[in-house]
Amino acid sequence: MEQPILNFAKTPQGAWINQDQVQLAFHDPRLVDTLLSRLKDKYESARATAAKELSEYRDQRIVPALTATLKRMFTSGF
């Protein structure tokens, strides 16, 4: 990983911050797979956060995954 990204990943005190937030800030496409899997999380807040963060990306897998998530919510009470 490049040094500027590593510097961004730490607070001024040197503590590491959330890796997902770093990837999101830099629009790292590797985060898409993680977020797509979180659409199946049992917790609604995790699914909602994943959906919101996916809006930062343009990936052909996102719309079908969001559609499937909504169908599961309405048919199974998720």
Side-chain angles (χ1 to χ4, degrees), residues 30-49:
R30 295 174 293 182
L31 184 58
V32 173
D33 289 326
T34 301
L35 295 174
L36 289 172
S37 68
R38 287 188 189 150
L39 290 176
K40 298 175 184 174
D41 195 284
K42 67 179 180 178
Y43 296 107
E44 182 179 349
S45 62
R47 295 190 309 270
T49 299

Side-chain angles (χ1 to χ4, degrees), residues 20-32:
D20 290 353
Q21 293 305 312
V22 174
Q23 288 181 302
L24 184 62
F26 286 94
H27 297 286
D28 186 332
R30 295 174 293 182
L31 184 58
V32 173

